[in-house]
Amino acid sequence: MTAGKLLYASPPAPSPPTDLADEAAWVWMQIKAEARRDAEAEPALASYLYSTIISHSSLDRSLSFHLGNKLCSSTLLSTLLYDIFINAFSTDPELRAATVADLLAARYRDPACVSFSHCLLNYKGFLACQAHRVAHKLWNQSRRPLALALQSRISDVFAVDIHPAARIGKGILFDHATGVVVGETAVIGNNVSILHHVTLGGTGKVGGDRHPKIGDGVLIGAGATILGNVKIGVGAKIGAGSVVLIDVPPQTTAVGNPARLVGGKEQPTKHEGVPGESMDHTSFISEWSDYII
């Protein structure tokens, strides 16, 4: 290998069409083309890629097959899980649209995501989120023992623990995802990015509406803990390792333990853009040694 060159650099992500129906078809076409390319380049994976992607006629069938194999156990068979997943995805256009939006989120926000097929096959945050969407649908259909069984398997396999009652939007990136915990009454908006070891939890044993509400376009850094029925405003940033116990206004940044607003409580610094999409963690710090909280 030539010095200074990456063995497998991430190629630039191609631009999808703007029409939603065309977008879904385009993403699936990209996935199948990538799988064929990888099967040719790496024969050891050819059978796996054929059975998981190439042999399927649609993204929902491929995803259902893959999730069934990932989450099965000796008593919860892959064929049963496949039937559960494909029934959910094939009958719910919103679920299918959310899957495509999540694939696009990973491909365009994470420079380590080398292809759509890589996300579909290997990103446990993506897979955990899709399985949760089905568990949430089952929960709302009053099939709660099955929803809770799925939650348990998702936690066992992916190390991501999301209560099936939690509501999650689309365009979600769980980056790395290990140790993410999302409580029962939590709500996550659209185009949100959450890194590993983030907790959206309660503050005690009292029931009711007790978990955080995360607005659209929010970015939550690694290891952050947000507790209680607090609101994180649209486009806010939560710094890595922060502990948030109060509301965070839109387009502001909260950092520290306990978290404080950058710029001060009275006149917090406002930023522009959508942090959940830009993945910009540090632009609020003009000088590392001198910023105000």
Side-chain angles (χ1 to χ4, degrees):
M1 184 177 70
T2 304
K5 287 189 177 181
L6 293 174
L7 181 63
Y8 195 84
S10 176
S15 299
T18 55
D19 182 83
L20 289 179
D22 291 343
E23 186 177 69
W26 178 84
V27 167
W28 176 234
M29 180 179 69
Q30 294 290 315
I31 290 171
K32 293 198 81 169
E34 292 162 358
R36 293 190 183 99
R37 176 202 66 198
D38 291 345
E40 183 176 349
E42 182 49 81
L45 291 176
S47 177
Y48 168 62
L49 291 167
Y50 181 82
S51 62
T52 308
I53 293 177
I54 299 169
S55 66
H56 295 281
S57 60
S58 65
L59 175 57
D60 49 303
R61 288 184 177 276
S62 173
L63 178 59
S64 297
F65 178 86
H66 192 39
L67 286 174
N69 282 315
K70 282 282 190 180
L71 296 172
C72 67
S73 68
S74 59
T75 54
L76 199 59
L77 301 182
S78 61
T79 50
L80 171 65
L81 289 174
Y82 174 81
D83 288 342
I84 293 168
F85 287 125
I86 193 60
N87 181 66
F89 287 118
S90 64
T91 60
D92 193 332
E94 290 187 5
L95 279 186
R96 298 196 299 274
T99 295
V100 172
D102 293 351
L103 282 165
L104 291 166
R107 184 70 178 93
Y108 291 114
R109 294 178 210 166
D110 184 0
C113 187
V114 297
S115 65
F116 291 109
S117 60
H118 173 45
C119 177
L120 173 64
L121 294 172
N122 303 321
Y123 269 40
K124 67 179 185 177
F126 167 78
L127 294 170
C129 190
Q130 308 323 304
H132 163 76
R133 296 188 193 284
V134 174
H136 181 69
K137 184 179 179 71
L138 294 169
W139 183 269
N140 288 337
Q141 293 173 339
S142 296
R143 301 178 69 183
R144 296 189 173 182
L146 181 55
L148 291 167
L150 267 184
Q151 177 197 1
S152 177
R153 290 301 299 154
I154 294 165
S155 180
D156 289 345
V157 173
F158 300 127
V160 176
D161 192 0
I162 308 174
H163 193 283
R167 290 182 284 153
I168 298 180
K170 62 183 182 178
I172 303 300
L173 174 61
F174 287 124
D175 196 0
H176 301 290
T178 299
V180 168
V181 176
V182 180
E184 179 181 9
T185 60
V187 178
I188 299 174
N190 298 319
N191 303 314
V192 171
S193 291
I194 296 175
L195 276 83
H196 46 289
H197 291 293
V198 165
T199 296
L200 307 181
T203 57
K205 64 180 183 180
V206 177
D209 194 357
R210 61 196 185 279
H211 294 102
K213 310 298 180 282
I214 310 300
D216 294 346
V218 167
L219 173 61
I220 305 178
T225 299
I226 307 173
L227 300 178
N229 187 15
V230 299
K231 183 175 181 180
I232 309 302
V234 170
K237 298 184 194 180
I238 308 299
S242 299
V243 177
V244 180
L245 303 174
I246 59 174
D247 291 353
V248 175
Q251 306 298 143
T252 63
T253 301
V255 296
N257 181 5
R260 294 175 173 84
L261 298 176
V262 171
K265 181 178 180 181
E266 301 303 322
Q267 291 185 315
T269 302
K270 296 271 188 172
H271 54 253
E272 297 180 353
V274 184
E277 296 180 359
S278 69
M279 305 297 288
D280 180 3
H281 291 265
T282 58
S283 64
F284 61 89
I285 302 175
S286 57
E287 296 181 18
W288 285 97
S289 61
D290 184 20
Y291 64 96
I292 301 171
I293 58 173

